[in-house]
Amino acid sequence: MPDEEIAEEGVATPLDTTVQDPLLREILADNQTADAPQEEQQPTLAEAEAVDCVVIGLGAGGAPLLARLAQAGLKVVALEAGPWHKPETDFATDEQAQDFLFWNDERLAAGGTPLAMGRNNSGTGVGGSTLHYTAYTPRPLPDDLTLKTDFGVGEDWPLTYDDLAPYFEEVEQFIGVSGPTPYPWGPSRPKGYPMAPLPLNSAAQLMMRGAEKMGIRTSPAANAALSAPFFQEGVGWRQACTNRGFCQAGCSNGAKSSMDVTYIPLAVKYGADIRPDSYVTEIERNAQGLVSAVVYTQNDQTHRIACKHLFLCAGAVETPRLLLLNELALTSGQVGRNLMAHTGIQVWGTFPEEVRPTKGIPGGLISQDTHRPEGADFVGGYLLQSIGVMPVTFAGQTARGRKLWGKALRDYMQQFNHIAGINILGDCLPHADNYLELSDELDGKQVRKPRIHFTAQENEVRMTAHAEKTMRDIWAAAGATDIWSFDRYAHVIGTARMGLSGDDAVVDRDGRAFDVPNLYISDNSTFPSALSVNPALTIMALSLRTADKFLASLK
């Protein structure tokens, strides 16, 4: 998305997240309620006591399965490295004040196309990256999962679209996805989206105008944000989206379907034990090689909790980092390998009419006509989406992308309310040069920092060139001037992929580690291919499927 990508490259963000603005501090203090139930520190189990399951990470990969396990009556504890936020007081319409939503520990970027980290692809807090994602939730198309079959390169998924379709539908219906019915691309569906599409902002309307002139079909996008009030089990009535456009700063009224207002309250309702500010440092194994306990720090104290099963849902950076640190599930040699990142080039244009790019859901319009472009000189495909953007974010991109500074940058930013953007989300092939490893540098917690190697390969370069021309043509047809592009990559994917054999994969099709039978992984680290859509919906669907397969195995 426009949004998910604007971290300062090569800069370590301070861990201190104190709000600097005195007025904002005063407002937050006035609205602070004492002893909020979800923020109370919950008791730590005695060392001799064990639980059925520990879940590490409470984003799109951990929260759905946590709810499923709790509903099944299992004793489950969830460990989340970040705090439990209160949206109505913690989420300001202020980019700079919201840096605490991102995983700000330094990660080292390497390779020919170093990846921006932080808000680009990770989050911290109960809800994970969904606290600051832009809620773009299109389904992958069936052939997204058969890249190798179709093109002879990349990897196929050990699952089919039909395996995942019931879970896509369940997630969409439960969290309240807003979108068009029928949806123009992909197989027909038993149920349409539960909510009507959100209003199209100006950028979306301009993209629709240009695309129509070029013969490219468009449609309102599927967004996990409510277009009308919606009843959520465990929460009650959630409000509709107010179209303030600062989705990356956290949704203050709960209209965006992040995990903290959907699956996590459901999990709590059924008895799940949520432990925020709990940073996992060690995963213990017994003599049989099974996971036996997890060690974590909370409030500067070290705790140990024994468990029968572990679900690792920390994302495509922290999941392999924990596996490598603990020498866990390494038999295949694939942990940290097969790292991918979505191609995500953006094209911006200036229009005579007022656009106001902060208004409305950031990704309002979609086209998947470019999913498999005719005559393309690359493998796979991409989608097109309109994008909104916040002003500080856009100023940073402009400085880097156009090399504008000082007066030249200020003069250009005077046109901010007349600027609109389009971007792509495209496939990426796994490559031996793209991987994660542990560096010898230690972070503030005295844990080895991850080093992420990424170099865009020929396929990604060709796809980007094709997409840039297409988007420039759309903007020209829509009447834009001063058209320019900002090359970028979004969403770190892969690093613990699923497959049919432990020879070349870390987990099986159900998310279970081949060489550690009571370890499951549920996040986008298990993706065999990047998919040409945003990953959130697929992560949630896989999470529910993993939970169901695990529960079936207990029977």
Side-chain angles (χ1 to χ4, degrees), residues 145-168:
L145 309 180
T146 57
L147 207 62
K148 189 167 186 177
T149 295
D150 296 344
F151 295 99
V153 295
E155 288 296 326
D156 288 346
W157 285 52
L159 300 169
T160 68
Y161 178 89
D162 289 340
D163 291 326
L164 294 175
Y167 293 102
F168 292 143

Side-chain angles (χ1 to χ4, degrees), residues 4 35 41 88 106 115 122-123 132 186 218 245 352 394 415 432 440 442-443 512 543:
E4 302 159 349
D35 300 321
Q41 181 180 342
E88 64 273 18
E106 186 179 49
L115 296 175
S122 59
H132 65 82
T218 60
F394 185 67
Q415 307 171 69
D440 293 329
L442 303 182
D443 62 16
R512 185 179 187 179
S543 179

Side-chain angles (χ1 to χ4, degrees), residues 507-532:
V507 298
D508 66 16
R509 63 200 307 267
D510 301 332
R512 185 179 187 179
F514 281 108
D515 52 351
V516 187
N518 66 340
L519 169 66
Y520 289 78
I521 299 176
S522 175
D523 52 40
N524 62 349
S525 70
T526 68
F527 285 23
S529 68
L531 306 178
S532 60

Side-chain angles (χ1 to χ4, degrees), residues 97-143:
Q98 299 306 103
D99 279 348
F100 62 82
L101 288 174
F102 314 124
W103 191 290
N104 291 314
D105 291 2
E106 186 179 49
R107 280 95 173 257
L108 305 179
T113 318
L115 296 175
M117 302 301 292
R119 73 182 70 181
N120 187 38
N121 38 43
S122 59
T124 183
V126 176
S129 297
T130 68
L131 296 174
H132 65 82
Y133 79 149
T134 49
Y136 217 68
T137 48
R139 295 188 187 188
L141 297 180
D143 57 4

Side-chain angles (χ1 to χ4, degrees), residues 284-293 516-518:
E284 297 180 359
R285 282 178 289 173
N286 60 22
Q288 290 73 43
L290 300 176
V291 171
S292 57
V516 187
N518 66 340

